[in-house]
């Protein structure tokens, strides 16, 4: 049971008119697994999620949830699933409390002690009218309703984009709890550090295609390691070694440097470094930010990301 | 300071004009086309003096005065005066409706989408949005003014004069701008665009009804309604420009009030603040209950609005039959039974024209609710249902079913009000209930057909959703003017209402009723399966 596949997406394609929003999406989520679904704006995260939820009809490929077709069996599937949309819009003139109860009732769930606990934790005032809540508070309402559902599969589309850091931590703890209970979780984001805290698997989407997916550990060996080193010898020659990138001397000194190394060149570079006489070295595994930059940083599609790097 | 408040109104205006150009163009083509088309054809439709005289008898009847406005006595009837008596009040309604929908949309619609916030953050004056909305209304009505003036000059009806042509154009554009500005004012008070337009349309309806009651009883009091001002212009015989001055003064006052109010409220909020409420609700449990709660205000406004309108129309029934009492010959020679019959005949003729107003109310109510299916999908409300174990078909039938029931309720409320008014004023001989139930039964199915059509559009081409409303407008004009425009039967039958044109005077044709019912059901089923099959979230 433990490894059972909850979500299985194979070669999903989706067109909006002539625009091919999804070209080739492959995605799996298993029980007890948190899958981070990462990609830049407009990559197709929400479109994929809406197809999984049977709100959009796939043009090609297979989307199965609990082994059933996402479009035709939507009603049955949704009985075992909870979802928080990226932009939460709530009916005007309902109070937050009423909205939470309504969302729960429609999922055939009870307002439980868990619900009250969450309302307290997130410090939500359930008597205010929806139109008077801030973006973050609207998001809390949807999160509380989803998190207090007792279902098997949770989908969050950029769940923390409006939350402050404190509430973000509460949310992350809740997700970890769900994971420990053996639930399946799909979580889209562009906040990479967030996914890193909860997820063990990630899928990177770009322009409608999953360009990389796997466990964080698997992904790491594909990537560069960050090195920060001080030595007795001069370091500038390192710059020309193959596999060394973004080389930079620190504080204009000749023997303090910072650079990143392709994983397969690590061995060779370390040898050279040893010869220089290392006085201090810090080697850090790549963060998801680095992963992200590596895939998107070199392309012309994402100029903002590039600017950010420089 | 002043500069600051209104900074960049001009730039905003340009952006808005560009965005609204198709909407404006449609209104302009429809309104100006209708008027100029009729003005240039009027000589052909009423070619002989005898046909003009026959029409005058109809137009002078209280029923037609109630509907179209009063006809000057003691002046020589010409094409021009005929045209102005038939068209002006009614076209005033159109001008006002177009302007108010545009201006409410610019002020509040934008604000709801958060555009105003974006724009104001960009160094645009606090009052600039309001000013831009007003200026847009000015531009819109100015274009209509020029086009209508020139068009009427070219149409060159007999009895027309340059002064009268331009006065007509000025009065109508003036009333348009007046209601456009009123829309801006109400938009400051209410918290939502839809409420703002509902209120302003209510105000317009009230002006029309007040004018109607005054016209039927004593036209001298016409100054009490802005739509009455159009009649006060006495176009083509007296050419009185005073009402135009009134209109301009009223516009200035209303604009001032709007600016004053707008300075005292926050962006995105109305003046009436939102209170906190209970944290729980027993009532809410699914899509239908949600829809009912969301729509509660709309429900009561439409319901009471329709009843009040019915009551007001019903309350002039006695004025319509007054003609009989003032006739000495009839008074003495006719038996009571004959008098009653004559009274019924007059009222039925009135009823058969004006019932279309209530059919319109019902239809519009229904179509607005059907279109909400698309609106709510865009606003992100539908996504909340769709992620739940709620099927797409159920959502479709919830919205469309709610629309159907509410359309028929609004229609029934109007007819009910009419009947109540009739009972109240007709004392000894009110018009029998059966005519009212016949009206309801007959037109209900035509309303259902219109709603089913709207549902088909929403299911297959939500982008074109305004089609259903435009078709309804056309259908209304066809029914209202079919006798005056002398429309052929086949033309009238191009719209669903046309198939019921003979009720309540004649009985309902069972086959026609059944046919319409089948059409409605088939369309609804087609719509449901189309909706079921398509993407639920479309931008
Ligand atoms: N209904 C639609 N009609 C046409 N195009 C659409 C529609 N929905 C999405 N798109 C387009 O498909 C692409 C993918 O959009 P999507 O919302 O899935 O991106 P996303 O990865 O969720 O982005 P973000 O991080 O900004 O939320 C975008 O280019 C978007 O403009
Ligand atoms: Mg998204």
């Amino acid at each position: 049971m433990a490894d059972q596949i909850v979500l299985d997406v194979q070669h999903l394609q989706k067109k909006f008119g002539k625009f091919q929003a999804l070209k080739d999406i492959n995605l799996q989520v298993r029980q007890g697994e948190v899958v981070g679904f990462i990609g830049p704006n407009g990559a197709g995260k929400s479109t994929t999620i809406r197809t999984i939820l049977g709100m959009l009809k796939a043009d090609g490929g297979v989307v199965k949830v609990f082994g059933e077709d996402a479009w035709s069996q939507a009603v049955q599937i949704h009985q075992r699933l909870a979802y928080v949309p990226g932009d939460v819009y709530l009916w005007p003139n309902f109070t937050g409390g009423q909205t939470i109860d309504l969302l729960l009732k429609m999922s055939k769930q009870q307002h439980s002690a868990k619900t009250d606990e969450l309302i307290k934790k997130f410090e939500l005032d359930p008597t205010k009218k929806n139109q008077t809540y801030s973006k973050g508070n609207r998001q809390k309402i949807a999160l509380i309703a989803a998190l207090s559902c007792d279902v098997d599969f949770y989908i969050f589309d950029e769940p923390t984009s409006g939350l402050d850091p404190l509430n973000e931590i509460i949310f992350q703890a809740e997700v970890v709890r769900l994971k420990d209970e053996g639930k399946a979780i799909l979580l889209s984001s562009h906040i990479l550090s967030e996914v890193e805290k909860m997820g063990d698997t990630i899928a990177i989407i770009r322009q409608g295609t999953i360009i990389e997916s796997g466990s964080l550990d698997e992904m790491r060996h594909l990537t560069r390691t960050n090195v920060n080193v001080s030595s007795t010898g001069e370091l500038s020659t390192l710059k020309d070694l193959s596999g060394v990138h973004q080389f930079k001397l620190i504080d204009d000194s000749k023997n303090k440097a910072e650079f990143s190394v392709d994983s397969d060149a690590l061995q060779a570079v370390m040898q050279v470094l040893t010869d220089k006489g290392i006085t201090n070295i810090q080697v850090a595994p790549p963060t998801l930010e680095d992963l992200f930059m590596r895939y998107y940083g070199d392309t012309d599609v994402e100029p903002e990301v590039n600017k950010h790097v420089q | 300071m002043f500069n600051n408040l209104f900074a960049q109104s001009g730039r905003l205006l340009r952006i808005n004009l560009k965005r609204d150009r198709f909407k404006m163009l449609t209104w302009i083509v429809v309104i100006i086309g209708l008027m100029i088309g009729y003005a240039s054809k009027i000589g052909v439709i009423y070619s002989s003096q005898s046909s003009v005289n026959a029409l005058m008898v109809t137009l002078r009847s209280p029923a037609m005065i109630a509907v179209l406005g009063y006809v000057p006595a003691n002046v020589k009837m010409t094409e021009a005066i005929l045209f102005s008596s038939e068209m002006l009040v009614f076209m005033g309604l159109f001008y006002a409706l177009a302007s108010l929908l545009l201006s409410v949309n610019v002020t509040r619609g934008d604000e709801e989408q958060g555009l105003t916030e974006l724009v104001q953050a960009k160094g645009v004056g606090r009052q600039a949005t309001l000013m831009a909305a007003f200026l847009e209304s000015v531009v819109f009505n100015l274009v209509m003014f020029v086009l209508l003036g020139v068009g009427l000059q070219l149409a060159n009806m007999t009895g027309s004069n340059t002064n009268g042509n331009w006065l007509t154009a000025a009065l109508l554009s003036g009333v348009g701008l007046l209601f456009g500005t009123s829309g801006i004012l109400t938009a400051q008070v209410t918290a939502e665009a839809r409420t703002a337009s509902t209120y302003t349309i209510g105000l317009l309806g009230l002006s029309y009804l007040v004018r109607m009651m005054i016209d039927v009883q004593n036209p001298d009091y016409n100054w009490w309604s802005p739509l009455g001002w159009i009649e006060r212009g006495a176009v083509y015989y007296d050419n009185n420009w005073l009402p135009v001055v009134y209109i301009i003064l009223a516009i200035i006052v209303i604009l001032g009030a709007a600016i004053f109010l707008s300075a005292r409220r926050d962006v995105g909020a109305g003046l009436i603040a939102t209170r906190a409420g209970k944290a729980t609700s027993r009532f809410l449990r699914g899509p239908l209950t949600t829809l009912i709660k969301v729509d509660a205000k709309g429900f009561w406004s439409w319901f009471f609005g329709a009843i009040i309108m019915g009551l007001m129309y019903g309350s002039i029934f006695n004025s319509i039959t007054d003609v009989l009492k003032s006739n000495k010959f009839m008074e003495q020679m006719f038996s009571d039974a004959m008098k009653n019959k004559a009274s019924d005949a007059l009222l039925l003729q009135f009823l058969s024209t004006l019932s279309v107003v209530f059919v319109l109310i019902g239809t519009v109510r229904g179509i607005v609710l059907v279109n909400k299916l698309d609106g709510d999908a865009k606003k992100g409300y539908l996504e909340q249902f769709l992620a739940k174990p709620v099927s797409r078909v159920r959502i479709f039938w919830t919205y469309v079913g709610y629309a159907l029931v509410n359309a028929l309720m609004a229609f029934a409320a109007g007819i009910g009000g009419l009947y109540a008014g009739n009972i109240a004023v007709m004392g000894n001989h009110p018009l029998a209930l059966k005519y009212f139930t016949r009206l309801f039964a007959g037109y209900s199915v035509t309303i259902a057909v219109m709603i089913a059509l709207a549902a088909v559009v929403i299911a297959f081409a939500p982008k074109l959703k305004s089609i259903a409303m435009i078709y309804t407008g056309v259908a209304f004009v066809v029914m209202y003017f079919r006798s005056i425009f002398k429309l052929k039967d086949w033309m009238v039958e191009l719209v669903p209402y046309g198939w019921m044109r003979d009720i309540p005077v004649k009985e309902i044709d069972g086959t026609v009723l059944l046919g319409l019912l089948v059409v409605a059901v088939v369309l609804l089923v087609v719509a449901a399966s189309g909706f079921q099959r398509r993407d639920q979230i479309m931008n």
Side-chain angles (χ1 to χ4, degrees):
Chain A
M1 278 299 273
D3 255 326
Q4 204 179 333
I5 291 188
V6 171
L7 171 70
D8 189 14
V9 180
Q10 305 271 0
H11 305 299
L12 167 63
Q13 294 169 4
K14 177 70 196 171
K15 268 188 181 172
F16 293 115
K18 284 201 180 108
F19 174 66
Q20 183 97 40
L22 303 181
K23 292 176 194 128
D24 185 18
I25 302 291
N26 295 288
L27 191 63
Q28 276 82 36
V29 182
R30 291 174 182 79
Q31 284 189 343
E33 182 180 53
V34 178
V35 174
F37 190 32
I38 302 164
N41 291 128
K45 301 181 294 295
S46 300
T47 305
T48 306
I49 289 175
R50 285 171 174 169
T51 317
I52 294 169
L53 289 162
M55 298 172 189
L56 299 176
K57 194 173 181 175
D59 295 322
V62 182
V63 182
K64 292 208 157 168
V65 187
F66 306 120
E68 303 201 73
D69 181 59
W71 174 260
S72 61
Q73 301 301 312
V75 177
Q76 285 86 316
I77 291 171
H78 293 180
Q79 272 163 2
R80 300 172 58 193
L81 168 159
Y83 165 61
V84 176
D87 298 301
V88 179
Y89 296 101
L90 304 170
W91 304 276
N93 282 325
F94 293 22
T95 61
Q98 289 168 347
T99 311
I100 291 171
D101 286 359
L102 172 64
L103 290 171
L104 282 172
K105 263 184 211 161
M106 283 197 286
S107 294
K108 312 217 163 75
Q109 301 272 329
Q110 304 287 332
H111 181 119
S112 58
K114 178 78 203 165
T115 316
D116 290 328
E117 182 199 319
L118 285 165
I119 291 177
K120 226 188 214 148
K121 265 196 198 162
F122 280 111
E123 296 183 335
L124 181 86
D125 176 358
T127 62
K128 282 172 80 177
K129 296 272 174 72
N130 282 339
Q131 66 268 34
T132 63
Y133 285 117
S134 65
K135 176 179 159 66
N137 279 328
R138 286 202 304 272
Q139 206 153 25
K140 281 186 203 168
I141 290 171
L143 283 172
I144 291 169
L147 289 171
S148 64
C149 280
D150 180 24
V151 288
D152 301 317
F153 186 21
Y154 296 80
I155 300 179
F156 303 103
D157 193 357
E158 293 179 36
T160 56
S161 54
L163 297 187
D164 59 41
L166 267 172
N167 286 303
E168 205 178 315
I169 290 169
I170 297 172
F171 169 74
Q172 285 161 359
E174 286 298 324
V175 170
V176 171
R177 169 185 66 87
L178 292 174
K179 178 176 135 181
D180 292 344
E181 287 172 12
K183 307 297 174 71
I185 294 133
L186 178 65
L187 195 131
S188 95
S189 182
H190 11 68
I191 306 167
L192 307 170
S193 54
E194 166 182 284
V195 176
E196 207 172 19
K197 278 176 209 146
M198 297 168 280
D200 15 43
T201 310
I202 57 170
I204 300 181
I205 178 175
R206 184 186 150 208
Q207 293 178 344
T209 311
I210 298 280
I211 50 172
E212 198 65 61
S213 68
S215 74
L216 269 174
D217 293 339
E218 276 168 16
M219 305 282 280
R220 280 200 179 106
H221 82 260
L222 295 171
T223 57
R224 299 163 188 167
T225 304
N226 297 327
V227 181
N228 187 323
V229 64
S230 311
S231 66
T232 43
E234 277 198 18
L235 290 170
S236 48
T237 47
L238 275 166
K239 192 175 180 180
D240 304 320
L241 283 180
S242 80
V244 172
H245 306 268
Q246 288 152 327
F247 183 86
K248 206 169 78 189
L249 287 169
I250 299 173
D251 304 337
D252 290 330
S253 93
K254 293 187 172 124
N255 34 24
K256 262 188 184 175
E258 197 179 63
F259 54 91
S260 60
V261 189
D262 285 339
S263 302
D264 41 14
L266 204 53
Q267 175 87 15
V269 172
M270 287 311 284
Q271 232 135 44
V272 176
L273 268 181
T274 324
D275 296 344
K276 304 264 178 200
I278 302 170
T279 54
N280 184 11
I281 186 165
Q282 285 169 350
V283 182
T287 61
L288 275 171
E289 261 78 10
D290 298 322
L291 265 186
F292 205 59
M293 291 310 156
R294 179 151 182 206
Y295 285 111
Y296 310 121
D298 307 330
T299 62
D300 46 2
V301 223
E302 288 289 315
E304 310 103 306
V305 174
N306 269 329
K307 256 181 247 147
H308 196 71
V309 170
Q310 286 145 14
Chain B
M1 151 85 184
F2 196 75
N3 246 346
N4 245 345
L5 284 178
F6 296 105
Q8 308 223 34
S9 301
R11 198 170 60 109
L12 218 53
L13 173 67
R14 266 197 307 278
I15 298 171
N16 290 346
L17 281 176
K18 198 170 163 202
R19 188 197 49 192
D20 292 341
R21 62 187 188 278
F22 289 116
K23 237 187 248 173
M24 294 166 75
L25 201 68
T26 314
W27 279 113
I28 290 172
V29 167
V30 169
I31 294 178
I32 302 294
L34 201 66
M35 294 187 74
I36 301 303
Y38 186 51
S40 54
K41 281 272 145 39
I42 193 166
V44 184
I45 300 177
Y46 299 103
S47 47
S48 66
Q49 188 60 45
S50 63
S51 65
V52 172
N53 290 345
L55 181 66
M56 284 327 291
V57 174
T58 320
L59 286 182
R60 285 226 164 86
S61 74
M64 289 317 271
I65 288 177
V67 170
L68 293 178
Y70 94 109
V71 185
N74 314 321
V75 291
K76 184 179 175 304
M77 268 306 138
T78 59
E79 278 172 29
I81 293 181
L82 201 61
F83 171 83
S84 70
S85 323
E86 279 173 16
M87 299 291 279
L88 289 205
V89 167
F90 214 75
M91 286 300 136
L93 271 180
F94 271 98
Y95 271 71
L97 192 66
S99 298
L100 78 88
L101 288 178
L102 274 172
S103 67
V104 168
N105 194 34
V106 177
T107 21
R108 286 320 293 245
D110 280 1
E111 219 170 274
E112 265 153 47
Q113 289 163 18
L115 284 178
T116 311
E117 238 171 293
L118 261 179
V119 163
Q120 290 201 345
K122 287 213 154 134
V124 175
R126 255 186 72 82
Q127 302 275 13
T129 340
L130 187 156
M131 215 10 121
F134 177 71
L135 291 177
E136 181 170 341
S137 203
V138 171
V139 170
F140 175 65
N141 283 294
L142 215 55
V143 171
M144 303 250 283
F145 169 74
V146 173
L147 287 178
L148 184 63
V150 171
L152 286 177
Q153 288 288 66
L154 293 176
N156 198 18
M157 297 174 285
T158 59
S160 70
N161 42 50
T162 307
N163 194 356
N165 288 341
W166 289 102
L167 177 57
T168 303
L171 281 167
L172 290 178
S173 285
V175 165
L177 187 57
L178 179 63
F179 279 93
T181 321
S182 307
I184 297 173
L185 176 66
T186 15
Q188 307 307 318
V189 188
T190 57
E192 267 176 281
R194 222 150 56 88
T195 334
S197 33
T198 312
Y199 283 170
T200 322
I201 290 172
L203 195 70
L204 179 62
L206 196 70
S207 314
Y208 181 74
L209 284 174
V210 167
R211 181 222 42 91
M212 175 188 84
M213 301 185 75
I214 291 171
D215 274 350
V216 172
Q217 322 257 351
N218 184 357
D220 289 344
Y221 289 94
N222 245 326
W223 295 105
W224 286 98
S225 163
L227 288 171
W229 293 352
I230 298 179
E231 299 172 288
R232 283 282 132 185
V235 180
Y236 295 126
Y237 51 101
D238 274 351
N239 285 335
N240 180 4
W241 283 79
L242 189 60
V244 178
V245 178
Y246 274 46
I247 290 172
I248 292 172
L249 287 179
I251 290 171
I252 293 172
V253 170
I254 293 173
L255 182 66
I259 292 175
F260 176 75
L261 288 181
S262 141
R264 321 192 129 220
R265 77 180 179 93
D266 298 329
V267 173
L271 269 178
I272 305 157
T274 317
R275 275 176 300 139
K278 275 198 229 135
T280 55
S281 161
R282 266 165 203 270
F283 178 70
L284 291 171
R285 50 189 62 252
L288 180 63
T289 46
T290 303
L291 198 52
I292 291 175
K293 187 166 157 75
V294 167
D295 184 56
K297 246 195 239 157
F299 173 83
W300 292 114
S301 323
W302 280 86
F303 189 71
F304 283 116
I307 288 187
I308 290 169
M309 223 162 148
L311 279 173
M312 288 177 94
Y313 270 113
S315 67
I316 60 167
F317 274 24
N318 57 343
S319 312
I320 285 166
T321 51
D322 274 350
V323 196
L324 299 177
K325 284 189 204 110
S326 56
N327 190 324
K328 275 257 165 57
F329 170 76
M330 252 190 193
E331 190 65 48
Q332 286 159 10
M333 302 301 288
F334 277 29
S335 70
D336 276 355
M338 283 163 90
K339 274 187 225 151
N340 284 346
K341 220 171 176 181
S343 154
D344 280 3
L346 270 177
L347 287 180
L348 283 173
Q349 184 217 0
F350 179 50
L351 200 56
S352 73
T353 307
L354 118 153
S355 52
V356 187
V357 172
F358 297 97
V359 177
L360 177 77
I361 291 177
T363 311
V364 169
R365 167 78 171 136
I367 292 179
V368 167
L369 285 170
V370 170
N371 286 353
K372 201 170 153 56
L373 194 50
D374 184 57
D376 282 4
K378 288 221 172 75
K379 284 184 197 152
Y381 299 148
L382 231 49
E383 197 165 350
Q384 304 278 10
F385 294 140
L386 287 164
K388 302 291 171 191
V390 172
S391 68
R392 298 184 286 269
V393 176
R394 180 168 150 209
I395 289 175
F396 175 85
W397 287 116
T398 303
Y399 275 75
V400 173
Y402 185 74
L404 262 176
V405 169
N406 271 277
L408 295 186
M409 269 169 51
F411 183 44
I415 299 283
L418 205 55
Y419 180 68
N422 156 58
I423 294 284
V425 299
M426 290 303 288
N428 44 3
H429 184 70
L431 197 59
L433 181 62
K434 69 170 181 195
Y435 296 114
F436 295 87
T437 50
R438 193 183 288 167
L439 265 182
F440 180 76
Y443 279 115
S444 284
V445 283
T446 66
I447 292 176
V449 171
M450 295 301 279
I451 290 173
L453 269 172
V456 169
V457 176
I458 285 293
F460 291 95
K463 279 206 177 95
L464 305 177
K465 67 177 170 185
S466 44
I467 283 183
M469 214 53 115
I470 293 171
Y471 185 47
T472 307
V474 171
F476 176 69
V477 171
V478 164
M479 293 304 285
Y480 223 58
F481 287 98
R482 72 195 151 93
S483 52
I484 291 172
F485 288 175
K486 294 193 174 165
L487 296 180
K488 304 256 174 358
D489 277 356
W490 67 265
M491 292 166 116
V492 178
E493 283 168 4
L494 287 179
V495 299
Y497 310 150
W499 293 88
M500 285 290 162
R501 62 184 177 277
D502 290 332
I503 64 167
V505 181
K506 288 191 195 151
E507 299 233 15
I508 297 171
D509 181 338
T511 2
V512 172
L513 188 83
L514 199 68
L516 287 167
L517 202 59
V518 170
V519 170
V521 170
V522 169
L523 287 176
L524 282 175
V525 170
V526 169
S529 80
F531 184 80
Q532 151 93 1
R533 262 163 244 246
R534 76 151 158 88
D535 284 351
Q536 302 292 300
I537 293 164
M538 305 176 47
N539 296 331

